[in-house]
Amino acid sequence: MHDPADSHPDIHWPSGFSPAEAHGFHHVQAVVPGPPERVFRVLTDPADWTSWVPGCEEVSTRTFTQTFEARWCGQRFEVYVGEHVPPRRLGWMCLGTSVRLYQGYLLTAVGDGTEIVVESAVRASLPRAFDTLSPTWVERLDELWHAQLARLSDPPPSV
C-alpha cells in the first residue's frame, strides 16, 4: 500500500474516494511504448481484457460503454465510467459485493512512449488484509499489468 500523500495532483477523485478516505491506496507510474492514443485504445477495449488484465475473467460488453460488468478474481463488479477524456484521462468506479474502488488513469506523451499514472482508492477490508498477508502481492500484480500493457501498446513491427 502506498502513502495517500503520494497521490498525483491531477487525478480527479469522486466524493468519498480520495486516497485519504480509502482503506487502501495504490499508485503506479511507468512509461510504456507507443503514443497515448494507442495506450488509451488498449485500456478502453474490454473485448480483449481477459487476455491481458491480470485476474480479469469476464466482461459483459465487447465495446466500451458508460456502465458494464466485469468478473475479476472470482468477484463480479459493476463498473461505472466517471471520466473519459481520450487520450489523456480515464476513471471508473467498480462496485463489488464487499469492495468498492475508484481507478484513475493519466496518460502523457513522453518521447516515443506514454507515461501512465494509475491510482486506485479502495473502500473495503480485503485490500488491507492482502497488504498485511503479502506485502509484495500488489507490486507483483502491477509489474504483470505493466508488462502486458507495454506489450499491447508497442507499435507492430514494420514489414
Side-chain angles (χ1 to χ4, degrees), residues 2-66:
H2 297 95
D3 185 342
D6 294 334
S7 179
H8 195 285
D10 293 331
I11 296 283
H12 297 160
W13 296 102
S15 179
F17 278 87
S18 74
E21 298 169 295
H23 297 121
F25 168 69
H26 300 284
H27 169 96
V28 180
Q29 190 167 343
V31 174
V32 296
E37 293 80 8
R38 185 178 300 124
V39 176
F40 198 88
R41 276 194 306 272
V42 169
L43 289 172
T44 58
D45 181 11
D48 203 31
W49 285 357
T50 58
S51 71
W52 74 272
V53 175
C56 184
E57 300 158 356
E58 181 182 1
V59 181
S60 67
T61 183
R62 303 220 26 97
T63 59
F64 197 73
T65 60
Q66 288 299 111

Side-chain angles (χ1 to χ4, degrees), residues 28-105:
V28 180
Q29 190 167 343
V31 174
V32 296
E37 293 80 8
R38 185 178 300 124
V39 176
F40 198 88
R41 276 194 306 272
V42 169
L43 289 172
T44 58
D45 181 11
D48 203 31
W49 285 357
T50 58
S51 71
W52 74 272
V53 175
C56 184
E57 300 158 356
E58 181 182 1
V59 181
S60 67
T61 183
R62 303 220 26 97
T63 59
F64 197 73
T65 60
Q66 288 299 111
T67 61
F68 56 94
E69 292 180 8
R71 183 169 297 281
W72 184 76
C73 292
Q75 181 157 349
R76 183 183 144 287
F77 287 91
E78 294 178 53
V79 180
Y80 301 91
V81 177
E83 188 168 34
H84 185 262
V85 184
R88 306 284 178 235
R89 305 178 71 83
L90 184 62
W92 50 53
M93 176 80 62
C94 301
L95 303 176
T97 302
S98 60
V99 178
R100 297 173 298 164
L101 68 98
Y102 187 83
Q103 286 187 310
Y105 298 78

Side-chain angles (χ1 to χ4, degrees), residues 17 19 23 42 131 141-142 154:
F17 278 87
H23 297 121
V42 169
D131 286 339
L141 188 62
D142 289 343
D154 201 9

